[in-house]
Amino acid sequence: MNAHPLQDQLRRPIHDLRISVTDRCNFRCSYCMPKEVFGDDYAFLPASELLTFEEICRLTKLFVSLGGSKIRLTGGEPLMRRNLPELVAGILAIGGVKDMGLTTNGVLLGGQAAPLYAAGLRRLNVSLDALEPERFGRMNGRGFKSGLILQHIDHAVEAGFEVKVNMVVQRGVNESEIVPMAAYFKDKNITMRFIEFMDAGNDNGWSYEKVVTKREILERLQGSFELEAQDHNYFGEVAKRYRYKGSCTEIGFITSVSESFCSSCTRARLSSDGKLYTCLFASDGFDLRAMLRSGASDQSLLQAIRDIWEQRIDRYSDERTEQTVKNRTKISMSYIGG
């Protein structure tokens, strides 16, 4: 296909595609899927409404033809989707996919690391919000202890994966874990990413008072470590990166609240039921699955994607106020992927 690279109204190119493969998760973290909302009787999407692997690969190929080259599989918890290595292999067989990763909570990683690696996956982001077992069990809402996740991280590293660990920091919940987490993964030579608590969705009780900013996290870390700021690797890189002095190990910060990065956002998002979103904080998406299942041609799908991206003006984090947080209805993060 000879499609031209896309740019939106703010001249941001399309570069990343985040694909949610399921809306289900085995955690009930309060900032994503609080158990008060996502209870045992919650109606998740039936299998028939999920995009098939063939449909996902077809759409991915179209996105790549428009300039996308970096793919991330998300959820829900993506390892709950059956036969996921088949999808990994299918996507990696698409010419033009230069980078692929997967975000997971790590619970199922012990049994799936080897087949995922055999399928060609090389990068994992593992979400872990505390080392202290009881605190972590409360935070994930299911009582899973941190030791299990740490064991599976070690297993993934031994299998050959490049692993990063993501920690969402919330005031009054786990900010005391910042330095212990950094020290633990520094000793393991594993990159950590500290993520500011975001107002994704409408169910997580977010407020500015609960945000621990990059500045505060960095000040805590600098009390224990010497850190050197690093330059961005590429346009659209989200993390603000630092390196421990005298080592090759890095930490990073995702600063959606205190230092927004809308001006360089290159990410499109595909929900597990085939809706295209152009922002993590979007209220609605465009139904590509309906087009797929009504027999639309590749050319028609390409034109739809092009039209959506070229009209894009999203800059929610730049414009965030108490009123936008309160009044805007946003899609759940567990549905769209983080």
Side-chain angles (χ1 to χ4, degrees), residues 21-306:
V21 297
T22 180
D23 62 332
R24 297 172 185 266
C25 187
N26 41 18
F27 276 12
R28 289 297 181 268
C29 301
S30 60
Y31 58 80
C32 183
M33 294 181 69
K35 56 188 175 183
E36 294 80 9
V37 177
F38 296 87
D40 293 339
D41 59 348
Y42 185 82
F44 290 100
L45 292 168
S48 62
E49 293 188 16
L50 300 178
L51 288 179
T52 67
F53 289 172
E54 181 180 5
E55 290 170 333
I56 292 173
C57 287
R58 183 182 174 192
L59 290 175
T60 301
K61 187 175 182 179
L62 297 178
F63 273 96
V64 170
S65 77
L66 293 169
S69 62
K70 185 176 182 181
I71 310 298
R72 175 166 296 280
L73 300 182
T74 69
E77 168 49 47
L79 299 189
M80 294 185 73
R81 182 75 186 257
R82 292 182 180 179
N83 304 314
L84 194 62
E86 293 179 15
L87 177 61
V88 168
I91 291 175
L92 288 172
I94 297 169
V97 174
K98 297 178 181 177
D99 182 72
M100 185 174 181
L102 180 145
T103 298
T104 175
N105 61 33
V107 169
L108 301 175
L109 192 55
Q112 297 202 37
L116 287 168
Y117 194 87
L121 189 67
R122 294 294 180 268
R123 294 199 308 107
L124 296 170
N125 281 38
V126 180
S127 300
L128 181 68
D129 294 327
L131 286 178
E132 200 284 312
E134 298 304 320
R135 178 179 289 116
F136 180 65
R138 290 192 299 272
M139 292 188 71
N140 64 58
R142 287 289 192 247
F144 288 106
K145 299 299 189 286
S146 55
L148 175 67
I149 313 304
L150 297 173
Q151 178 185 341
H152 288 175
I153 289 171
D154 288 344
H155 177 68
V157 171
E158 291 166 5
F161 282 102
E162 174 194 342
V163 176
K164 293 184 176 72
V165 173
N166 294 339
M167 176 186 178
V168 176
V169 185
Q170 300 176 69
R171 190 175 308 283
V173 178
N174 64 336
E175 70 266 49
S176 64
E177 296 274 347
I178 292 168
V179 172
M181 287 275 285
Y184 181 90
F185 289 107
K186 177 180 182 289
D187 288 344
K188 295 276 187 179
N189 296 316
I190 291 174
T191 296
M192 265 210 72
R193 296 284 169 84
F194 296 96
I195 302 174
E196 293 179 348
F197 180 35
M198 295 180 287
D199 56 315
N202 294 96
D203 301 317
N204 64 3
W206 186 91
S207 71
Y208 281 105
E209 288 72 27
K210 295 181 181 179
V211 177
V212 183
T213 65
K214 173 220 171 183
R215 180 177 178 178
E216 183 176 339
I217 297 170
L218 184 58
E219 286 176 352
R220 285 178 179 246
L221 293 170
Q222 287 173 327
S224 300
F225 311 102
E226 289 188 77
L227 298 168
E228 301 172 324
Q230 305 295 298
D231 293 332
H232 282 302
N233 284 321
Y234 56 89
F235 179 82
E237 183 177 30
V238 169
K240 293 176 172 65
R241 298 164 40 245
Y242 289 74
R243 180 177 294 170
Y244 294 104
K245 189 173 182 179
S247 81
C248 294
T249 305
E250 293 186 354
I251 61 169
F253 301 90
I254 311 299
T255 61
S256 174
V257 179
S258 68
E259 300 175 20
S260 63
F261 39 83
C262 297
S263 63
S264 61
C265 178
T266 61
R267 287 169 296 285
R269 300 170 185 275
L270 186 64
S271 69
S272 52
D273 61 347
K275 291 185 176 65
L276 173 61
Y277 294 85
T278 55
C279 180
L280 176 61
F281 304 97
S283 299
D284 48 47
F286 183 86
D287 193 348
L288 292 177
R289 188 192 67 189
M291 291 187 68
L292 284 168
R293 296 187 181 179
S294 64
S297 67
D298 283 355
Q299 197 58 45
S300 295
L301 288 161
L302 274 173
Q303 192 58 54
I305 296 167
R306 179 181 291 279

